[in-house]
Amino acid sequence: MQLGLDFSLVEELVAGVDEVGRGPLCGPVVTAAVILDPSRPILGLNDSKKLSEARRDALYEEIREKALAWCIARADVHEIDSLNILHATMLAMQRAVEGLSVQPRLALIDGNRCPKLKVPCAPVVKGDSQVPAIAAASILAKVCRDREMVELDAAYPGYGIAGHKGYPTPVHLEALRRLGPTPIHRRSFGPVRALLDNSR
């Protein structure tokens, strides 16, 4: 039974930072930075991928209410295509940390590398299943991006975006071949680029 993360790891003014949306063929990459309040624990925090949608939605509201500070940021499709996905993700993480209303004394970044920040930072591999603040950031980023993809599904019907959230599923790839790329598709990603090359 998963009881959530160890809250003895919540330290004062430590920001957790995570991203969602590096792999999809369309839409932004979304990042979040969260500084949890050690005096207001949030039960059941976990890597967003291990939680049900209903649980994520409930925790999303609780994190926003109880955290000392939080910020959600993004890099859009144009930035992803011009910078590449790694650099666009680092830029979005930088924006999330700089957007915090409280300056952290340390930023812990999910993964194996850090963006350029004005505060000390350290990468934590699989941090979203170890560090409560990173888990909180993963939840904010995922809920925010998922909701945005539902809106984009309404704007660009026929691709099934609300279901696959832009990831390269068979349904998405088939719709892409049939309908062609939209303005929100990442032209630098292989399947989209191949379609564009073939249509020239």
Side-chain angles (χ1 to χ4, degrees), residues 2-3 5 25 56 62 68-69 77 79 84 91 95 98 105-106 110-111 131 142 149 151 158 170-171 180:
Q2 176 54 255
L3 295 173
L5 307 186
L25 303 179
R56 280 196 303 267
E62 192 175 354
L68 281 176
V77 171
E79 290 171 318
N84 80 33
L91 176 63
R95 287 170 174 162
E98 287 177 359
R105 60 179 177 81
L106 173 68
D110 185 58
V131 179
K142 178 152 181 58
M149 297 310 281
E151 289 173 13
V171 167

Side-chain angles (χ1 to χ4, degrees), residues 6-172:
D6 180 357
F7 257 80
S8 67
L9 295 173
V10 176
E11 296 178 61
E12 210 169 330
L13 296 184
V14 171
V17 184
D18 202 1
E19 55 72 29
V20 172
R22 281 176 69 160
L25 303 179
C26 66
V29 60
V30 175
T31 61
V34 178
I35 302 175
L36 292 173
D37 183 344
S39 69
R40 302 183 80 195
I42 300 167
L43 296 177
L45 274 182
N46 206 336
D47 170 6
S48 64
K49 295 183 286 296
K50 295 176 181 168
L51 299 167
S52 69
E53 185 177 349
R55 191 76 193 102
R56 280 196 303 267
D57 285 346
L59 284 166
Y60 177 84
E61 301 303 333
E62 192 175 354
I63 292 161
R64 286 159 46 112
E65 181 199 335
K66 289 184 175 177
L68 281 176
W70 58 271
C71 178
I72 298 170
R74 73 194 53 242
D76 64 23
V77 171
H78 170 71
E79 290 171 318
I80 291 166
D81 284 339
S82 60
L83 296 172
N84 80 33
I85 186 60
L86 174 64
H87 288 97
T89 301
M90 293 294 124
L91 176 63
M93 285 182 166
Q94 195 178 21
R95 287 170 174 162
V97 174
E98 287 177 359
L100 288 168
S101 58
V102 176
Q103 182 162 313
R105 60 179 177 81
L106 173 68
L108 296 177
I109 315 292
D110 185 58
N112 60 5
R113 63 181 70 210
C114 290
K116 287 193 179 107
L117 297 174
K118 293 171 183 159
V119 297
C121 62
V124 184
V125 174
K126 294 196 165 64
D128 49 10
S129 57
Q130 298 177 63
V131 179
I134 295 179
S138 82
I139 291 164
L140 291 194
K142 178 152 181 58
V143 171
C144 177
R145 188 178 190 280
D146 283 359
R147 289 176 180 178
E148 191 167 324
M149 297 310 281
V150 170
E151 289 173 13
L152 288 173
D153 182 72
Y156 300 99
Y159 294 84
I161 294 170
H164 54 63
K165 307 298 189 285
Y167 284 88
T169 62
V171 167
H172 191 184

